[in-house]
Amino acid sequence: MECGIKTLPSILITAGTLLSTSLAAPTPQLLTWDEAYIKAEALVSQMSLEQMVNITTGTKWRRTPCIGNTYSVSEPDFPALCLQDGPLGIRHADNVTAGVAGVTAASSWDKQAIRERGRYMGREFRGKGIHVQLGPSVDIVRAPDAGRNWEGFGEDPYLQGVAGAETVLGIQEEGVVATAKHYVFNNQETNRKASTSNVDERTFHEIYLWPYARMVEAGVGSVMCSYNMIDDIWGCENDYTMNTVLKGELGFRGYIMSDWGATHSTVLSVNSGLDMTMPGDIIMGDDYTYFGSNLTDAVDRGEVTAERVADMTTRIVATYYKMGQDKDFPETAVNFVNRTMALEVFVQADHHKHVRSMGAAGTVLLKNDGVLPLSIDSIDTLALIGSDASDDPNGPNSCVSRGCSNGTLAMGWGSGTADFPYLITPHQGIEAHVGDDVELTYTFWDWDVEEAAEIARQADIALVFSNADSGEEHIIVDGNVGDRNNLSLWHNGDALIEAAAEANENVVVIIHAVSPVLMPWIDNPHVRAVVWSGIPGQESGNSLVDILFGAVNPSGRLPYTIARNEEDYGVLVVNETVIEYTEKLELGYKHFDAHDIEPLFEFGFGLSYTTFEYSEVEVDTEGEGDDIKVTATVEVTNSGDVDGAEIPQAYISFPESAGEPPKHLRGFEKVYLKAGKKSKVTFEFGKTELSIWDSDSHEWVIPSGEFTVHVGASSRDIRDSVSFTVE
Ligand code: NOJ
């Protein structure tokens, strides 16, 4: 192993001088990959080996303004690239939007809104002179207690794929490189840097690779290889996952960067497909790198070819050109090392409106016996109970990277965070909404259940707030090392809910949670409604008000399964160094279906203030072989008396001989319908949706036999099923 050699001399990035500007970035001119490669090859062909290597090497931890930077080169000129977290907005920066987390975006099941979320994030990153956004995260929710579940888009590969691709398209339309991460099998925080995830080829392709395939089709510019090992080989040294699959099978034309400190070698990494080492150091904070002069030496020794280094560089340069970053690219306006030195650039525009509406669109109404929506006219006193309704007295950013749990939960912790410009708490949102018309009483002291009961007893309606938090392993919150120690509500939540329900027959529970929790009180009739508010970001209280008081009719649907008991889940986080994915394809709802376990709330579930009827499901097949096209249509009618949106979902059952779990999500749409109106919804399935991975031929194949399309309102609320045969 080569180490101990200092990196090449660099052209350092200078920190910005203090200046205040507002955002007026021109629309970037995007190129196709082919066009971008022509420009990149022309530039890279003029570069020396040292120059090429500089473009692939990070400038090391905390040496330059962004969370990751590459070195610039001159003659020919290529700038230092700025890479910055994270999946929901710009980390370590001021005057930015702190929006909903990936999982809450996913629970909107709204493709257009997810694309728009990507766009506004792209505009903010570009406006701050950041070339590469370190998101989206598409880590599948494998274990309900895994710490970073809230950063990605849930338990289902199809949903992850749609949300991932829409996010990539949105970010990149604005001229910023999106990064799909963490490739691959980084599905828990425990031992993430010391474990191997062992997964069979079919499961890899059908579950974990699926979202990457969709993002590659969407043109994603970069992919981050993960900390963990895969079948005993480090993620960033893995020839199979990087060269064979990502660059080979999927035809990925962008570049692979390491997760921070996930590079373990020079020759093996580079020859296995790693194109950029981040943040550059061998061990973060040391003075050494596996790339830099170690890489030029490896070329001199003949262990890495000069062509491979040119390929690495061309991939990076082409991605830069593809996003139109060579024209009118703003000066970098973040400074992670010294925040006060960052240029003052305001990029938020009116993005708060999108955050508010997506916070509401991503809210899932789990239970409602008719108590919701609330009407100000019929309430005199409303009790707010639980610290999750209130603010952190030290401010919403009191703990670095949200590494504590004080007040309402609007973000998990770790690198997936942004600093809040402000945080509207539920208390503030409700207070602003009800004004003087309703008397608000409250207790935010979670451990005094008697006080909670007393306040509840005197109110018309008691709103009880609780949460469950998690994050990345380098921060420990209340003994939780990233992953959660259990699936219970935090801050005495269950006891508060039970105490309130003992004292008042009209309890509404509001939960902000990173992923599923246990709800031992769910069948208590006094708990009349449960609102699942997810991880809503800076507009939390306003989004909640929109749902509680009916300005928005809930249409969020669960992006994961909520089980009745912890043991019902097929997988939980394990404290092992060998993590066998023995569940194979039976992940999430597929596990519950395959083992006939009744979930508490199934994948795809969510209530509305209106009702929807489904009729006339029809299926039509055209073409054959790989050109087959199957079309399913359904008529959806808003049969209630409130306008609202429905999310019809299409699930496919494969022929029995395929050996698949009972059903797979393969289509969904969000349709807005005025009361009494109906609309025809169409789903199309082709080779992608109808194939399984054949581990013998190493190919996607459409199995022959009888398929069934199930159309319904959730994975368990199937309204009609129609079969078709593939010869
Ligand atoms: C490690 C995290 O796993 C990754 O998601 C993040 O982008 C980098 N740190 C940089 O903060």
Side-chain angles (χ1 to χ4, degrees):
M1 189 190 297
E2 312 85 19
C3 60
I5 302 173
K6 295 201 175 174
T7 187
L8 298 172
S10 63
I11 297 161
L12 275 181
I13 300 155
T14 49
T17 44
L18 276 177
L19 246 189
S20 187
T21 57
S22 60
L23 171 70
T27 314
Q29 292 282 307
L30 305 186
L31 302 185
T32 63
W33 279 118
D34 285 345
E35 290 164 344
Y37 262 78
I38 290 170
K39 282 180 84 165
E41 279 159 8
L43 190 86
V44 174
S45 65
Q46 302 166 46
M47 288 182 186
S48 66
L49 178 64
E50 285 75 10
Q51 285 178 315
M52 290 193 274
V53 165
N54 261 355
I55 289 172
T56 68
T57 305
T59 54
K60 306 206 192 104
W61 185 236
R62 295 184 70 88
R63 300 286 183 84
T64 46
C66 304
I67 201 109
N69 279 108
T70 53
Y71 291 100
S72 61
V73 299
S74 51
E75 294 180 34
D77 296 343
F78 191 76
L81 298 177
C82 167
L83 295 76
Q84 192 79 1
D85 287 314
L88 65 66
I90 305 175
R91 187 178 179 211
H92 296 309
D94 299 305
N95 308 311
V96 299
T97 301
V100 309
V103 79
T104 298
S107 56
S108 75
W109 296 58
D110 184 333
K111 297 177 200 175
Q112 255 181 311
I114 294 172
R115 172 85 65 99
E116 187 47 42
R117 172 177 177 266
R119 279 203 197 107
Y120 92 66
M121 291 197 294
R123 286 197 289 279
E124 295 205 0
F125 277 78
R126 188 166 175 119
K128 290 274 194 187
I130 299 163
H131 299 88
V132 184
Q133 176 173 355
L134 300 176
S137 164
V138 288
D139 294 330
I140 299 262
V141 173
R142 176 172 178 263
D145 44 350
R148 298 183 77 176
N149 284 349
W150 56 278
E151 293 187 43
F153 305 114
E155 74 183 22
D156 180 74
Y158 182 87
L159 180 58
Q160 285 266 8
V162 170
E166 291 296 343
T167 305
V168 164
L169 287 168
I171 293 169
Q172 296 195 164
E173 275 164 22
E174 299 295 335
V176 169
V177 180
T179 307
K181 66 185 190 183
H182 307 82
Y183 188 68
V184 59
F185 309 130
N186 186 175
N187 302 106
Q188 62 172 55
E189 287 299 279
T190 305
N191 298 331
R192 71 175 180 180
K193 293 181 177 169
S195 60
T196 176
S197 300
N198 296 348
V199 189
D200 65 276
E201 186 181 321
R202 181 166 173 184
T203 304
F204 173 30
H205 281 79
E206 293 189 20
I207 310 267
Y208 299 91
L209 184 65
W210 181 289
Y212 289 93
R214 304 294 82 80
M215 290 187 290
V216 169
E217 286 161 4
V220 68
S222 67
V223 169
M224 185 189 289
C225 53
S226 56
Y227 282 125
N228 51 286
M229 286 176 272
I230 300 157
D231 283 328
D232 291 318
I233 301 171
W234 290 113
C236 297
E237 273 181 358
N238 203 299
D239 182 59
Y240 174 66
T241 56
M242 295 195 292
N243 277 339
T244 307
V245 176
L246 188 59
K247 292 180 177 175
E249 274 171 29
L250 301 190
F252 171 58
R253 299 185 77 183
Y255 59 91
I256 303 178
M257 71 172 79
S258 68
D259 199 341
W260 268 231
T263 307
H264 292 276
S265 60
T266 304
V267 175
L268 189 55
S269 302
V270 167
N271 289 341
S272 301
L274 182 66
D275 301 302
M276 180 190 279
T277 188
M278 275 294 145
D281 337 42
I282 288 183
I283 297 167
M284 274 158 66
D286 72 12
D287 211 14
Y288 307 108
T289 183
Y290 283 120
F291 282 22
S293 54
N294 273 324
L295 182 49
T296 50
D297 290 351
V299 175
D300 291 344
R301 288 196 305 273
E303 291 174 349
V304 171
T305 63
E307 290 72 37
R308 169 69 187 120
V309 178
D311 169 51
M312 296 157 75
T313 315
T314 306
R315 285 171 175 274
I316 298 166
V317 174
T319 306
Y320 163 90
Y321 282 133
K322 180 170 164 53
M323 307 307 156
Q325 296 184 337
D326 54 328
K327 296 202 186 76
D328 304 314
F329 200 79
E331 194 176 337
T332 297
V334 289
N335 195 319
F336 151 62
V337 184
N338 184 349
R339 284 274 277 270
T340 59
M341 292 297 287
L343 289 175
E344 194 177 42
V345 177
F346 297 88
V347 289
Q348 302 113 303
D350 63 353
H351 304 159
H352 64 95
K353 291 187 188 156
H354 189 271
V355 177
R356 178 174 183 159
S357 66
M358 192 163 239
T363 298
V364 186
L365 183 61
L366 292 179
K367 178 175 178 181
N368 183 24
D369 72 355
V371 66
L372 295 183
L374 302 176
S375 155
I376 291 183
D377 300 338
S378 53
I379 307 170
D380 291 326
T381 314
L382 198 55
L384 307 188
I385 295 167
S387 61
D388 184 65
S390 76
D391 56 4
D392 176 344
N394 300 316
N397 301 315
S398 69
C399 302
V400 174
S401 300
R402 313 295 73 77
C404 58
S405 174
N406 304 328
T408 196
L409 181 76
M411 222 180 266
W413 72 77
S415 63
T417 53
D419 282 0
F420 290 108
Y422 60 82
L423 171 55
I424 307 287
T425 64
H427 177 207
Q428 289 163 344
I430 292 168
E431 194 167 59
H433 182 74
V434 302
D436 295 333
D437 296 337
V438 174
E439 188 195 347
L440 288 187
T441 57
Y442 43 83
T443 168
F444 301 142
W445 178 237
D446 298 316
W447 303 95
D448 191 345
V449 286
E450 277 165 26
E451 170 80 354
E454 192 48 37
I455 298 242
R457 188 169 297 117
Q458 290 166 18
D460 297 323
I461 306 241
L463 304 181
V464 187
F465 292 81
S466 193
N467 65 34
D469 200 358
S470 71
E472 213 177 328
E473 53 103 66
H474 60 87
I475 302 175
I476 302 173
V477 178
D478 201 13
N480 296 267
V481 190
D483 299 324
R484 278 183 290 161
N485 290 340
N486 56 56
L487 296 179
S488 297
L489 285 170
W490 288 29
H491 305 287
N492 211 24
D494 292 334
L496 279 184
I497 294 166
E498 268 152 19
E502 184 78 33
N504 188 318
E505 293 181 1
N506 302 314
V507 171
V508 175
V509 172
I510 294 114
I511 296 176
H512 293 104
V514 281
S515 220
V517 298
L518 297 173
M519 303 184 195
W521 33 261
I522 192 71
D523 297 325
N524 186 325
H526 295 177
V527 175
R528 298 188 56 196
V530 178
V531 178
W532 188 259
S533 286
I535 301 295
Q538 71 188 37
E539 287 284 327
S540 174
N542 288 334
S543 304
L544 177 66
V545 159
D546 291 344
I547 293 290
L548 283 182
F549 293 90
V552 173
N553 188 348
S555 62
R557 302 289 181 262
L558 285 178
Y560 38 63
T561 308
I562 300 183
R564 220 166 239 286
N565 310 298
E566 186 177 291
E567 52 279 13
D568 293 346
Y569 290 103
V571 179
L572 292 167
V573 167
V574 286
N575 187 6
E576 308 278 349
T577 52
V578 179
I579 304 172
E580 301 283 355
Y581 285 39
T582 49
E583 75 286 359
K584 299 190 172 181
L585 303 174
E586 290 176 1
L587 195 66
Y589 63 90
K590 295 167 190 164
H591 159 81
F592 287 78
D593 285 354
H595 298 274
D596 214 5
I597 304 167
E598 196 61 39
L600 182 55
F601 297 111
E602 72 270 17
F603 175 81
F605 175 80
L607 299 170
S608 166
Y609 295 150
T610 186
T611 48
F612 295 95
E613 270 167 24
Y614 289 56
S615 57
E616 297 182 28
V617 175
E618 282 171 13
V619 173
D620 187 47
T621 58
E622 263 177 63
E624 52 186 279
D626 287 355
D627 296 324
I628 191 166
K629 194 171 113 192
V630 178
T631 308
T633 51
V634 60
E635 202 162 85
V636 181
T637 307
N638 182 342
S639 48
D641 48 16
V642 185
D643 302 344
E646 171 68 333
I647 319 272
Q649 300 160 36
Y651 294 82
I652 292 272
S653 295
F654 286 86
E656 224 178 292
S657 59
E660 288 286 321
K663 59 184 178 305
H664 302 249
L665 181 71
R666 285 292 186 264
F668 63 87
E669 294 298 333
K670 178 169 177 175
V671 270
Y672 182 81
L673 290 169
K674 293 218 169 275
K677 296 286 176 202
K678 61 184 173 189
S679 173
K680 192 169 168 181
V681 180
T682 304
F683 304 103
E684 281 185 357
F685 317 107
K687 163 114 189 192
T688 301
E689 291 74 23
L690 301 175
S691 294
I692 61 167
W693 182 258
D694 181 350
S695 304
D696 295 330
S697 64
H698 309 293
E699 275 173 349
W700 290 100
V701 292
I702 304 179
S704 50
E706 191 179 80
F707 285 72
T708 306
V709 184
H710 310 274
V711 178
S714 80
S715 62
R716 292 262 167 143
D717 183 5
I718 300 300
R719 305 291 177 91
D720 200 3
S721 302
V722 177
S723 296
F724 64 94
T725 305
V726 173
E727 302 297 334

